[in-house]
Amino acid sequence: MSGERFLKGAKITGVGYYVPEKILTNADFEKMVDTSDEWIVERSGIRERHIARDDQAASDLSYEASIKALEDAGVKAEELDQIILGTATSDMIFPSTACLLQEMLGAKNAAAYDLTAACSGFIFGLSIADSMISSGKAKKILVVGVEILSRITDYTDRATCVLFGDGAGAMVVEECPPGEGILSTFIKTDGKYSDLLYLPGGGSRSPLTEETLKKGEQYLHMRGSELFKYAVKAMVQAAKETLDKAGLGPEDVDFLVPHQANIRIIEGVRKRLKLKKEQLVINIDRVGNTSTASIPIAFGELVESDKKIVKKGDLVLFVAFGGGLTWGAILFRR
Ligand code: UT7
């Protein structure tokens, strides 16, 4: 066990997720842009993705996921000490979506705040929750990952629009005896490559004006094939370092839940870590890339599909990579 652990442990005690009902299939995109089901499946592994209703904002999706996670944990909203919410598509620039969610849940004792780490946001949030709890500063924290990427997607750009979906996932993290629950965490950033995936407009650098709207600055911009090169390497590093810190190896892992950006990235990580296909949790075919929501949705689906599938004591590894660049991993025993 690494020397970074404190006197208390932190454990994931509840999981919940929500994806909107509306589905866009590859066949739908064939009618919108110059693409094909074959290209999308072969290059990304995606077949369909969920899209939020016009009247839904990030806080609404977060609420649906959060009430399920709280119920799963048997925790009341008033018991929460903190709400940490990862998103790049908050309801508005401020107040934070976490503040809005706090009010919706009635979590009146929780300090609530958003963090932005693109697709790694949920892992960054879990890592902070682990530190807060293991250092005795909080006992119960709700961590949420939510994204309505359809609001920042240019549906005339075939290189990006086929990839993204909407959704939310949430987990309750609670104090537990040391050595149980979260065993190690790893988070990392390299701002040198911030121009590989970004949303230029609407911030203080380039406020939205008629001119910036005309340039499409309200949409996310991505240099996909360049990002791809860093993704596998970064996720493998995060997995290895997190396992090393806990004195464990890839062979000890029961379930690897990777960020769902591309099936070829996931396969690349699996091969480099010499994992079996059965150890991987994959749902990219049905939900697309939901950015920071992808890991809690994938794990939520797995747990919901069969309560006995992830057994007590099983070793689970979450690994993410995203714009920033940001990447990280969380290793825990169920
Ligand atoms: O969530 C975390 C951050 N995201 C990532 O890490 C994403 C990483 N990148 C990727 O997943 C892949 O790079 C993509 C799926 C985005 C693209 O796959 P690729 O194999 O890297 O394709 P490419 O961008 O190199 O494009 C190859 C060709 C191009 O045509 P030419 O120039 O070779 O004639 C594109 O114009 O495919 C074309 N293309 C498409 N064709 C049909 C791009 N998008 C499409 C499309 N349908 N939707």
Side-chain angles (χ1 to χ4, degrees):
M1 179 80 52
S2 85
E4 73 169 17
R5 305 306 305 171
F6 296 92
L7 291 173
K8 297 169 184 18
K11 187 171 187 162
I12 295 165
T13 57
V15 184
Y17 75 97
Y18 170 78
V19 287
E21 290 72 27
K22 183 179 167 187
I23 288 174
L24 272 186
T25 64
N26 290 352
D28 294 324
F29 280 98
E30 285 177 347
K31 291 176 211 140
M32 292 157 63
V33 286
D34 179 16
T35 191
S36 65
D37 175 54
E38 194 190 358
W39 191 96
I40 303 170
V41 173
E42 202 176 286
R43 305 313 294 164
S44 72
I46 301 167
R47 292 180 187 278
E48 53 189 43
R49 59 299 277 152
H50 294 253
I51 303 295
R53 294 191 313 266
D54 290 348
D55 66 337
Q56 286 177 313
S59 60
D60 301 309
L61 272 55
S62 303
Y63 176 76
E64 299 295 337
S66 299
I67 50 172
K68 286 191 194 163
L70 288 167
E71 193 190 329
D72 191 37
V75 167
K76 291 193 186 68
E78 312 87 80
E79 293 176 64
L80 292 172
D81 300 311
Q82 292 191 16
I83 298 172
I84 308 173
L85 187 145
T87 191
T89 49
S90 48
D91 286 33
M92 47 191 136
I93 289 186
F94 76 90
S96 70
T97 302
C99 288
L100 306 175
L101 179 64
Q102 184 226 27
E103 170 61 15
M104 290 161 96
L105 291 171
K108 57 181 186 213
N109 299 308
Y113 49 99
D114 286 3
L115 66 83
T116 305
C119 306
S120 314
F122 192 78
I123 295 305
F124 276 55
L126 272 184
S127 171
I128 295 167
D130 173 56
S131 302
M132 287 283 178
I133 291 174
S134 56
S135 61
K137 292 194 168 75
K139 288 188 192 319
K140 293 177 201 285
I141 299 182
L142 177 70
V143 182
V144 182
V146 59
E147 225 59 274
I148 305 196
L149 293 169
S150 60
R151 299 277 151 78
I152 57 165
T153 296
D154 177 358
Y155 284 98
T156 64
D157 174 19
R158 69 174 184 175
T160 54
C161 71
V162 300
L163 303 171
F164 300 108
D166 302 337
M171 293 187 192
V172 176
V173 187
E174 292 185 74
E175 188 185 294
C176 71
E180 290 180 21
I182 295 174
L183 302 179
S184 58
T185 68
F186 172 86
I187 53 172
K188 194 99 182 166
T189 294
D190 191 345
K192 203 179 349 171
Y193 303 105
S194 56
D195 59 346
L196 295 188
L197 179 53
Y198 67 112
L199 179 73
S204 55
R205 173 75 58 199
S206 185
L208 289 180
T209 61
E210 219 172 295
E211 195 188 327
T212 56
L213 285 171
K214 253 191 236 150
K215 284 198 228 155
E217 292 196 7
Q218 69 275 34
Y219 299 126
L220 68 79
H221 293 241
M222 184 171 87
R223 281 155 55 190
S225 52
E226 285 169 72
L227 262 185
F228 196 110
K229 281 190 280 185
Y230 297 105
V232 177
K233 212 168 129 200
M235 286 168 81
V236 168
Q237 181 207 15
K240 284 191 174 161
E241 295 224 12
T242 312
L243 285 161
D244 270 2
K245 280 191 203 177
L248 295 163
E251 63 285 358
D252 299 308
V253 172
D254 293 294
F255 297 98
L256 174 76
V257 189
H259 168 50
Q260 316 276 316
N262 188 313
I263 193 69
R264 291 181 292 136
I265 294 175
I266 296 173
E267 267 299 302
V269 172
R270 181 184 78 78
K271 284 187 188 142
R272 295 238 209 139
L273 292 174
K274 300 190 174 61
L275 293 172
K276 298 191 200 77
K277 286 203 170 175
E278 306 84 82
Q279 288 169 281
L280 275 187
V281 180
I282 298 171
N283 69 351
I284 188 169
D285 51 327
R286 287 174 291 105
V287 297
N289 182 349
T290 58
S291 185
T292 188
S294 79
I295 287 175
I297 294 174
F299 190 64
E301 277 189 0
L302 178 75
V303 173
E304 191 186 70
S305 67
D306 181 350
K307 283 276 171 207
K308 291 187 210 114
I309 219 164
V310 189
K311 294 181 289 301
K312 190 172 161 44
D314 277 353
L315 194 66
V316 185
L317 182 60
F318 294 161
V319 187
F321 167 81
L325 301 177
T326 55
W327 62 105
I330 302 284
L331 181 72
F332 66 96
R333 282 210 188 279
R334 187 71 169 149

